Amino acid sequence: MKVVLILFLYSIFNSVFAQQVDCIPGVNCQSRLLRVEASTTSLNETFDSPDFLNNTIAPAVDGLLRSPSFMSNFLRDYPIEEPIGFPHNLALCEAEKEQGDPKFANVDCHNPKFCSDPEISADVKAEVCTRFPCTFLVADIADCRPSDAMGMPTLMHYEPVAVKDIDLSIVEGTQSLSGNVLRTCLNVNRMRVETGVQIEFEPIESVDFDNIGLTNLVVELNSPRQICVSATIDLNSPELITDFTVERRNGEEFVSNAMINQTSEGAEVIGLEGYPDDVIATLQTMVLPTLLRHFRPTIEAAIEDVLGTTTESWIQLGLEPFRPASGSSVDIDTASNSFISELGISNMMVGKYVDLLDCAIMKEQEVRIPGDSPCFKEDVYPFGGDSLSYREIPSIRRAIERLSEQFELYENITSESLRERLEGFRERMQEAGESRRYNSQIAPLISQISNNQTRMGLQSGIQLLGNLGADNLTPSLSVAAPDICDELNPSPHSNRSMNNCPIQAYIDLDEVNRLFDNMFESGRLCHSGRGEFQLGNPPLRRGRPNATGCLMRMEEKEDGMSCYLDGAPQLEYNSQTGGYNIILNTRGCYRGAQILGLGRIGGDLNFSISYTPDVCSNNQLCLTDGENDWTVTPGTERFALRDRSILSGMVRRTINKQLSEMLPSERELPGLPNMSPIEFEGRLDMGPGYFGACLQPRS
């Protein structure tokens, strides 16, 4: 009973962390498992609060910038679509203006395309724009008339900047969040970009110059560089981040003279066809490095733009899940190890024995086991004392035996996180000299989990519908589960609300019950088997039901108490107590003999568990006034459950005692973490088919 109740509590109140991808096409849920509404003031206070940004957004951005996907996202071509003006002598232009030269009176010296602007006179350009002898630019000098004609470069046309290799890392200790301005610095440990450039010349009367260019310009960092990025975060604005800036740390140049010399050695000259090879070679060694220095600002700006725009878009993408699109559904495919995908009774039962094996490996390797390890929690294992001592941590061999026993008892294990943890033991067990035991005993358990995932399927995701106050509506966010939702009818209590509540959350209990139905049919609510109870032929074998269905084990042993669920548990409102009941009916319950062949019990048991939610003194949600009751379906009693059995009274008292121990009259639910930006305000709204709680920004 305890695990069913805990599963129910976790399924309602725990958070779901997800990544946004396309999923579950064609499903448009009308009913909603969870609806949250917040006043605009509360929304602003919550999502732009320093605590929320520091505890939620900052770690999320930090994780994004450390992910391998971040670097791989840079490896592509970045087009420079607009031509760039060839540099002119800005200092001379400004000096002429200051000295009052009338030709420069109305000239904008900072015009980025100064030398190609037809509005600027030829006399002005002749003084401040770079010029090359015509004979330098054509193969046949006879084409230059007069012989001292000059060619003026006007525009530079760049090929796309292609990032071919990059290695980035965060400069530790530089991450900061001041107010809502995020700042962090990155090491550019390695970077190689490739591009090309063609120079366009202004034609003269006798010659239309061909473009002269350089291809295969490979710019490779000759030593690490550092950049810093900063951005203002506003989760309530459409842009999410604004004022994004990139700065070179310590003011260092990205493209050094040594890099330019290296680049010119591999560059290829185009547009000078007809020149002898020795002339081209001289150009590459003597002229190109000087010419490339004109391109340095453009190449550095391009690299800076590549680093900045890609980082900005990556952070923007990472923050999107914190702000669902207003007024439209967003499909969320929950990660394979997220809570909603891990939801399952067997997963909960087996996890503690994976913890036990973890501790056994640490003990074998003489590694200190942390005092807060799950192995040392009270009332976790049916052996040892109330909590295990270090001495009671078993050997690796014995821990694996206990884990294997659990896999036999609880067949429907689908947890991806448990599978990953077991895979992670490979290297540690190898170091402990247990490779053979890993391959023969742990590897089959990993395969069993993978097979169960394929056979049973995981919860496939959720659907979000957000509205951030558009059309004068209260900002809201609602969650649906496409596996169980109603595609035609909205939740019947979608308009319930609490007056002047800053943030209110409502759960549709019909959706919760449909979730239980889904888990019952798939087997995720069962320790083994799934679906409806069916007796075989013969109906009994050695007193135990010969049946199939959704089997629940009440004790962690083969002959311990077990029952088949007679349908999924149902959550109902209790009008007499103002709380809720969990109705759990079973078939074919059986417990083997305990002492000298005595103590067997059998029958169909029906449980009713009642609690009233309340907000505890420590501002967490609690279940109070707990009561539990159970009955035996008349005519199904067997063995010690029969009234005429001399053990009947003792057995019934034992069951009552165990239920009271497992289900105390008051229980604190897994609550909102201390870092959460919200807390319970105190008011609850309870009734048939719904449960609502009022929350507020944490003070």
Side-chain angles (χ1 to χ4, degrees), residues 166-240:
I166 193 167
D167 179 64
L168 302 169
S169 61
I170 288 180
V171 181
E172 300 297 343
T174 62
Q175 304 96 317
S176 66
L177 187 59
S178 177
N180 60 345
V181 177
L182 177 75
R183 188 175 190 273
T184 191
C185 297
L186 299 170
N187 290 309
V188 187
N189 303 308
R190 189 177 68 250
M191 186 176 189
R192 189 179 85 250
V193 300
E194 296 179 7
T195 188
V197 63
Q198 292 190 33
I199 304 172
E200 180 180 337
F201 288 81
E202 183 180 65
I204 60 177
E205 184 175 345
S206 59
V207 180
D208 284 334
F209 296 105
D210 293 331
N211 287 359
I212 295 176
L214 302 169
T215 62
N216 196 35
L217 290 176
V218 180
V219 181
E220 190 163 5
L221 291 185
N222 57 352
S223 62
R225 305 286 196 272
Q226 289 186 349
I227 63 166
C228 296
V229 297
S230 61
T232 300
I233 297 176
D234 183 358
L235 296 181
N236 296 311
S237 75
E239 293 81 15
L240 289 179

Side-chain angles (χ1 to χ4, degrees), residues 38 41 129-130 151 161 207 259 326 369 374 403 473 484 553 649 659 697:
T41 301
C129 290
T130 304
V161 176
V207 180
M259 291 168 59
S326 181
I369 302 175
L403 179 62
L473 297 175
I484 63 168
R553 295 188 182 278
L659 281 175

Side-chain angles (χ1 to χ4, degrees), residues 20 39 61 70 82 87 91 118 131 168-169 226 254 263 267-268 275 314 317 324 374 452 496 498 625 651:
Q20 181 174 330
S39 67
V61 172
F70 174 56
E82 289 292 323
R131 290 172 175 265
L168 302 169
S169 61
Q226 289 186 349
F254 251 89
T263 298
E268 298 177 6
Y275 278 83
W314 191 248
L317 180 65
N452 285 346
R496 284 202 68 84
M498 287 171 270
D625 302 325
V651 166

Side-chain angles (χ1 to χ4, degrees), residues 135-167:
T135 53
F136 175 79
L137 302 174
V138 297
D140 187 352
I141 60 175
D143 291 338
C144 296
R145 296 186 300 273
S147 60
D148 61 350
M150 304 290 285
M152 181 177 66
T154 55
L155 295 171
M156 296 183 293
H157 300 265
Y158 278 87
E159 297 175 8
V161 176
V163 179
K164 298 297 185 181
D165 184 34
I166 193 167
D167 179 64

Side-chain angles (χ1 to χ4, degrees), residues 438-464:
Y438 180 91
N439 294 330
S440 63
Q441 294 178 269
I442 299 298
L445 302 183
I446 295 173
S447 297
Q448 181 177 333
I449 295 176
S450 298
N451 292 337
N452 285 346
Q453 290 176 342
T454 302
R455 175 175 59 86
M456 299 170 60
L458 299 176
Q459 186 75 24
S460 57
I462 60 175
Q463 191 176 94
L464 296 183

Side-chain angles (χ1 to χ4, degrees), residues 409-410 553-562 591 594 658:
L409 288 174
Y410 309 112
R553 295 188 182 278
M554 314 302 177
E555 296 177 281
E556 296 182 26
K557 53 185 178 180
E558 183 62 34
D559 281 336
M561 181 76 167
S562 63
R591 187 187 190 197
Q594 302 301 300
Q658 289 179 338

